């Protein structure tokens, strides 16, 4: 039997020189006041504001900016929501801690000792209101009537003007009456693109161009004369009906762009001078006759009162004949 070779000792491995322990690197401290509020807290804030303003308010988290934004459409103004944030959420240090939801992007490493939204949370929340196409188109109708929609500035200039105008207006999508609501729906329908081409829905630039070019009179839903049964203000009043039928020149432009009616006397005279006014025009003029008669009577009464005062002054001797100079008497 072969004698086994003696074991060869392993090569000596030089030991690493001991490293002197240095000061441990201090972790980056994040102040609690600088941390964004946690997701559950922000969602509670959004829910409370949604109930208060009766508008859906959604929280959105910006990964790049590490910031929550409360966002909604139309509804209250930004100033109103910011004021509500500062007023409705006092700090409650006695409440239990929040439990961060799994995967919450804004969940801090340590719990914040407050279950209710704190004032500093409200200050760290951004708020943003977006305007819907409906609100902007409604504002375009109103601004056209006011003479403030100009095609020369283009659709972007018109949109900027309307956004600045609506900044301090609550619920800019709400119409004033059924007629304005019908006009809005008609303009939205007229400005909608072809759905078959894959681009359905109202085109804001087209809506701006339509009212800037053609005015708003064509948006009126009912071109006929209003009758006793018409209670929703959709049909035309007698003066509006005569204006839409007889207005010309500057009066036609004023009617088409601002729905400005003719003067009362001009409207009745136009129907009277029409060889074939038609039953609706005749009824409209007859309806306006009492108002025209009352106005004419008031004007005649004012003339009579002034002339009677002059006669009374002459009779009482309060009006004397002026004494002319000598050179004036010789003429």
């Amino acid at each position: 039997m072969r004698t086994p070779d003696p074991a060869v000792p392993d090569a000596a491995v030089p030991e690493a020189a001991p490293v002197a322990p240095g000061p441990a690197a201090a972790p980056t401290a994040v102040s609690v006041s600088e941390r964004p509020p946690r997701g559950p807290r922000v969602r509670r804030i959004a829910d409370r504001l949604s109930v208060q303003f009766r508008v859906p308010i959604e929280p959105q988290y910006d990964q790049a900016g590490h910031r929550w934004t409360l966002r909604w459409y139309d509804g209250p103004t930004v100033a109103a929501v910011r004021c509500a944030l500062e007023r409705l959420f006092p700090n409650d240090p006695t409440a239990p801690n929040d439990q961060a939801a799994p995967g919450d992007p804004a969940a801090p490493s340590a719990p914040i000792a407050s279950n209710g939204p704190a004032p500093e949370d409200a200050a760290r929340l951004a708020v943003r209101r977006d305007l819907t196409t409906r609100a902007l188109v409604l504002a375009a109708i109103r601004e056209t009537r006011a003479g403030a929609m100009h095609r020369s500035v283009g659709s972007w200039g018109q949109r900027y003007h309307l956004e600045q105008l609506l900044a301090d207006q609550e619920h800019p999508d709400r119409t004033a009456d059924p007629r304005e609501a019908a006009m809005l729906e008609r303009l939205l329908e007229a400005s909608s693109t072809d759905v078959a081409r894959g681009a359905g829905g109202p085109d804001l630039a087209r809506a701006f161009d339509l009212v800037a070019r053609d005015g708003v009179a064509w948006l009126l839903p009912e071109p006929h004369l209003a009758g006793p049964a018409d209670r929703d203000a959709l049909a035309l009043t007698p003066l509006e009906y005569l204006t839409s039928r007889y207005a010309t020149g500057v009066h036609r432009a004023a009617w088409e762009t601002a729905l400005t009616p003719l003067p009362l006397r001009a409207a009745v005279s136009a129907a009277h001078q029409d060889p074939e006014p038609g039953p609706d025009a005749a009824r409209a003029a007859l309806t306006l006759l009492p108002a025209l008669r009352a106005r004419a009577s008031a004007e005649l009464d004012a003339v009579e009162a002034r002339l009677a005062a002059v006669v009374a002054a002459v009779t009482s001797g309060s009006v004397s004949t002026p004494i002319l100079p000598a050179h004036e008497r010789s003429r």
Side-chain angles (χ1 to χ4, degrees), residues 2-71:
R2 183 176 179 271
T3 303
D5 297 331
V8 179
D10 295 335
V13 179
E15 295 182 358
V19 179
T28 303
V30 178
S31 174
V32 173
S33 62
E34 296 177 356
R35 294 170 180 161
R38 292 196 292 271
R41 173 175 294 171
V42 177
R43 282 186 281 273
R44 283 198 300 272
I45 294 176
D47 291 342
R48 292 189 62 178
L49 292 176
S50 298
V51 172
Q52 177 180 348
F53 292 106
R54 300 182 180 181
V55 171
I57 297 179
E58 298 293 335
Q60 296 180 352
Y61 186 74
D62 181 14
Q63 293 284 356
H66 303 287
R67 186 180 180 90
W68 284 95
T69 299
L70 299 179
R71 186 174 181 180

